[in-house]
Amino acid sequence: MYDILVQNARIVSPEATVSGDVAISGERIAAVLAPGSGAPAARTIDASGNYLLPGLIDPHTHIEHMYKPGLYTNDDFFTASSSMAVGGVTSLIDFAIQLPDVSPLEILDKRLGQAEKAATDYAFHSCFIRGDEETLDQIGELVRRGIPSFKIFMAYRSRGRQCEDGVVLAILEEAKKHGALVGAHTENGDIIDYLVARALRNGQTRAIYHALTRPAYTEEECMRRALFLAKVADAPFYDFHMSIGAGVGVIREARAAGLPVYAETLTHYLTLTKEVLNRPDGINFICSPPMRDAEDIDALWQGLADGTISTTASDHCSFGTVLKKQGEDSFDKVPNGICGAEFRLPVLFSEGVNKGRLSINRFVAVTSTNAARIFGMFPQKGIIAPGSDADLVIVDPEREQTLSFKDSLIGLDWNTFDGFRVKGVPVLTMLRGKVIAENGKYIGRKGDGRFVKRRIDPDVLRYPVV
Ligand code: URP
Ligand code: ZN
């Protein structure tokens, strides 16, 4: 007798779509059975006509995030993750960002405490702002604690985050020794700082200047430099939030040479252009890197479809309009970051699968399986298979909806995807065998989420495996 039987689903993996039933015992998938198996279960869930996908993984969020001292996002781990659960997400990876006077291990403990109220499972990337001995010495212990992925910033000098090239190299070399993966925010901070200062001197303060002072070449140059340093260190590399079409060529070349290089792009880079910054509410859309042009969108979809880009994420960082308005008079005063993690599934399904840009199998790969593999959660997460966590999402591919901030649980007064008309929405989300969201309503409990201790498969660090 199983606890749950999900019946007559179209079960999707990166490799195949099969019709069948999924049997669940406790927190795990017990069996994948033929459709109409009639296997005995305490509860049955009918998924006829719908897709059954592994729960989505968002490998890049900033929840309960301190943008700078005194300036925090409007959400917390419960409001954000419960909203994401309604949107089909079952695991997220957030950041524990080192502070000038707080070490990576100390900030990790603090972030783990904050995340205890999460509605989904969670993990953290450790994020370094310097490469001194204390920081490098903590890498081994972080990996032992299940944090085998690190992020560094190659921009944001004024926010005290920018790592110089020598620091980038030192972190790449040290992380490699411990079987860890380093990724970066690849924008050339020095050139951007120069362009911003010049724009402000010329009175160019409108929101669009945020994008115009961070041109595509600043990202491309920095990506190439980061990849060069990774090659020198003989280390793997993950490019966080790639926004430029030219980046697809850069990554394609590196992967064709067999380098263990992975790229992530975001829902908003696949759907919005920098023109949003010219809207009356343009300041709300300020994030870094900025949105680009229609040609970039086309190239990013192409890169996702052909295997060059491995993952999608939200980079969710929820500031309400009051906080955004701090920069009403000048784009450089606006806190960078936009919300929308709760709508990643319907937006990417509509724009990707329904518009014929991605197969349903590739959709699963880039929203769940690949993140699980790259960041060391596979096969616990990211796949519907016996022994894996019963993290599932049922998607009705025909159901239509107009997205609105009012349908989010974060309580913000706007959303990046407000007004998007979508077809294909999540109708049920299950976390380790427990239904936590159904038909747009969150029905789980605060603290259902659990920390996921990760270890990256050595092959992921050696070759471009996904
Ligand atoms: O604009 C972005 N990507 N914001 C993320 C959070 C931060 O602190 O920069
Ligand atoms: Zn980010």
Side-chain angles (χ1 to χ4, degrees):
M1 177 85 165
Y2 298 112
D3 292 319
I4 300 178
L5 188 71
V6 183
Q7 294 176 309
N8 303 316
R10 285 187 277 169
I11 305 165
V12 190
S13 73
E15 288 76 33
T17 308
V18 295
S19 295
D21 295 353
V22 173
I24 294 150
S25 290
E27 298 192 342
R28 302 261 173 92
I29 295 168
V32 178
L33 306 164
S37 65
R43 177 179 176 188
T44 56
I45 296 172
D46 183 29
S48 304
N50 293 338
Y51 286 117
L52 184 66
L53 317 181
L56 265 61
I57 298 171
D58 192 332
H60 187 155
T61 62
H62 300 275
I63 297 169
E64 215 166 320
H65 172 63
M66 185 180 85
Y67 184 74
K68 61 181 186 185
L71 178 53
Y72 296 85
T73 55
N74 289 91
D75 57 4
D76 67 26
F77 272 95
F78 180 61
T79 57
S81 62
S82 54
S83 200
M84 290 166 73
V86 175
V89 177
T90 50
S91 298
L92 60 90
I93 314 182
D94 207 282
F95 297 87
I97 308 178
Q98 179 181 28
L99 294 170
D101 50 354
V102 187
S103 77
L105 282 167
E106 285 169 322
I107 199 75
L108 175 66
D109 283 339
K110 180 168 178 212
R111 297 292 280 160
L112 286 170
Q114 290 173 329
E116 275 175 10
K117 53 189 174 297
T120 63
D121 283 356
Y122 55 90
F124 287 96
H125 307 287
S126 178
C127 191
F128 303 139
I129 60 168
R130 55 178 183 266
D132 58 3
E133 221 177 296
E134 185 200 26
T135 304
L136 296 180
D137 279 354
Q138 292 195 354
I139 288 179
E141 180 57 16
L142 286 160
V143 172
R144 276 190 289 283
R145 290 206 202 168
I147 311 288
S149 54
F150 303 106
K151 182 180 177 190
I152 45 186
F153 296 93
M154 297 173 79
Y156 294 139
R157 190 186 300 284
S158 63
R159 293 173 69 196
R161 285 187 181 173
Q162 186 167 324
C163 287
E164 304 307 324
D165 293 349
V167 172
V168 175
L169 185 61
I171 291 170
L172 283 162
E173 286 181 346
E174 190 61 24
K176 183 188 157 73
K177 289 184 204 158
H178 296 277
L181 175 63
V182 177
H185 174 131
T186 48
E187 287 188 295
N188 183 318
D190 289 349
I191 294 181
I192 290 167
D193 289 347
Y194 160 67
L195 295 176
V196 169
R198 190 177 72 180
L200 296 179
R201 270 200 311 279
N202 293 336
Q204 295 166 323
T205 54
R206 284 183 296 116
I208 188 66
Y209 285 101
H210 174 73
L212 299 179
T213 54
R214 307 180 96 91
Y217 76 82
T218 58
E219 186 173 338
E220 183 179 345
E221 183 281 331
C222 194
M223 277 181 73
R224 288 187 184 279
R225 185 158 32 100
L227 289 177
F228 189 88
L229 294 173
K231 196 170 169 197
V232 167
D234 191 21
F237 183 75
Y238 184 85
D239 194 51
F240 281 98
H241 54 39
M242 187 172 80
S243 71
I244 52 169
V248 177
V250 175
I251 298 291
R252 195 175 281 141
E253 210 177 289
R255 289 169 64 95
L259 299 175
V261 165
Y262 303 93
E264 162 196 285
T265 192
L266 308 180
T267 323
H268 44 281
Y269 300 141
L270 291 161
T271 51
L272 298 170
T273 69
K274 65 174 183 292
E275 278 313 306
V276 289
L277 296 169
N278 279 323
R279 286 168 34 163
D281 60 349
I283 54 171
N284 291 346
F285 292 85
I286 287 186
C287 61
S288 295
M291 271 64 109
R292 305 291 183 182
D293 297 318
E295 304 79 64
D296 297 277
I297 293 181
D298 289 344
L300 292 174
W301 278 112
Q302 187 54 47
L304 264 185
D306 71 16
T308 306
I309 301 174
S310 302
T311 58
T312 60
S314 65
D315 198 4
H316 174 89
C317 186
S318 66
F319 297 115
T321 58
V322 171
L323 291 178
K324 287 284 190 181
K325 276 191 180 133
Q326 292 188 356
E328 219 165 15
D329 298 331
S330 190
F331 71 87
D332 64 311
K333 304 281 184 304
V334 180
N336 288 207
I338 58 178
C339 54
E342 60 280 69
F343 296 139
R344 177 166 150 253
L345 189 158
V347 172
L348 293 182
F349 192 94
S350 297
E351 295 296 309
V353 180
N354 276 339
K355 290 200 172 161
R357 288 155 151 163
L358 292 184
S359 69
I360 185 69
N361 309 93
R362 189 68 193 149
F363 178 82
V364 163
V366 301
T367 57
S368 180
T369 314
N370 289 355
R373 294 194 69 182
I374 294 168
F375 291 115
M377 302 164 107
F378 187 85
Q380 181 188 352
K381 308 285 187 191
I383 191 83
I384 299 175
S388 295
D389 283 355
D391 291 352
L392 304 171
V393 54
I394 298 178
V395 175
D396 180 343
E398 299 303 325
R399 197 179 291 188
E400 297 190 37
Q401 196 184 330
T402 301
L403 302 181
S404 164
F405 70 90
K406 293 181 186 139
D407 295 323
S408 164
L409 301 175
I410 293 167
L412 278 201
D413 52 354
W414 80 287
N415 193 285
T416 308
F417 302 104
D418 271 334
F420 262 62
R421 186 77 191 151
V422 294
K423 185 174 172 194
V425 298
V427 292
L428 183 142
T429 309
M430 186 186 294
L431 174 69
R432 283 181 280 101
K434 175 176 175 177
V435 178
I436 57 170
E438 209 167 352
N439 291 320
K441 297 268 172 291
Y442 174 66
I443 54 172
R445 286 176 65 159
K446 206 173 197 167
D448 276 338
R450 201 182 281 163
F451 173 63
V452 184
K453 194 169 176 191
R454 298 177 292 124
R455 181 186 166 274
I456 301 178
D457 178 342
D459 278 354
V460 170
L461 307 172
R462 263 188 227 126
Y463 326 100
V465 297
V466 288

